[in-house]
Amino acid sequence: MLEPSTGFVRDATAADAEQIAQVQTQCWHADYGDSWPPELFESLAESDLQMQWARAVIAPPGPGYRVLVATEADAVVGFAALAPSSDPDAEAGEAEIVAWEVAPAHRRAGHGSRLLAALADHARSVGAHTLVVWTAPDDEARRTLLDQAGFAADGAHREVALGDGWAASEVRMRQVRLVTAL
């Protein structure tokens, strides 16, 4: 287990987009490398992810959107993104964690908890009363951290199509929804 780090969380900048894309790619390979087909990983262009994250930071659609990074020294080692909940049954005042990743080499050092706390703070600052996150049901490490933070499954589940084009209808990921009051 890694020692707690001296890292911190801050708002992402466009200059962080490359490192955010690298962390995302590392996490997806580590977490889903055994279950996602190799073609899916081959279709992921880090430059495309980088552009998407730069846009999310530079031009968020509104005040409920935010991208944060966890840093250690000068390096981005994790990131998270918040948006108003897009669930069909969402009520006003529900915010959704749409991304929350920590690079595999930096997990269990407090970065995930710090990101989660900063997301909750931002959600409260824009008037949210509920925080929602979707996660794979068998992601024990993430579920444990979310359980400790007061999240609980509410019975909702979904299947998300993965890939762009070739695999969208073939590769699906099951997720459960966890919620907590702020």
Side-chain angles (χ1 to χ4, degrees):
M1 182 164 118
L2 294 175
E3 293 297 316
S5 73
T6 57
F8 66 99
V9 172
R10 63 172 170 75
D11 285 320
T13 68
D16 296 321
E18 180 178 1
Q19 290 182 74
I20 292 170
Q22 290 169 353
V23 169
Q24 184 174 21
T25 302
Q26 291 169 15
C27 290
W28 285 1
H29 278 280
D31 297 339
Y32 307 113
D34 293 337
S35 57
W36 290 1
E39 296 85 10
L40 183 60
F41 290 108
E42 292 166 9
S43 73
L44 292 173
E46 224 170 75
S47 60
D48 291 341
L49 293 174
Q50 182 179 342
M51 286 185 353
Q52 290 173 357
W53 286 113
R55 274 193 302 270
V57 170
I58 293 167
Y65 294 81
R66 189 155 214 180
V67 180
L68 304 169
V69 291
T71 62
E72 195 168 287
D74 291 332
V76 170
V77 297
F79 68 95
L82 189 72
S85 179
S86 62
D87 292 339
D89 61 347
E91 298 176 9
E94 290 185 5
E96 181 177 345
I97 300 169
V98 294
W100 179 43
E101 301 289 351
V102 174
H106 296 276
R107 291 178 179 169
R108 303 190 62 79
H111 300 296
S113 296
R114 281 190 289 280
L115 283 165
L116 196 55
L119 289 169
D121 288 345
H122 178 67
R124 278 188 212 92
S125 78
V126 295
H129 57 74
T130 304
L131 194 54
V132 175
V133 64
W134 290 91
T135 188
D138 58 351
D139 188 339
E140 294 299 324
R142 193 175 305 247
R143 292 285 301 264
T144 298
L145 182 54
L146 290 165
D147 288 346
Q148 292 170 349
F151 283 81
D154 70 353
H157 66 277
R158 69 182 182 187
E159 286 194 12
V160 179
L162 305 173
D164 186 16
W166 74 268
S169 63
E170 298 172 23
V171 181
R172 304 184 76 71
M173 184 164 91
R174 186 170 190 277
Q175 296 180 321
V176 295
R177 183 171 63 190
L178 305 177
V179 298
T180 191
L182 295 174

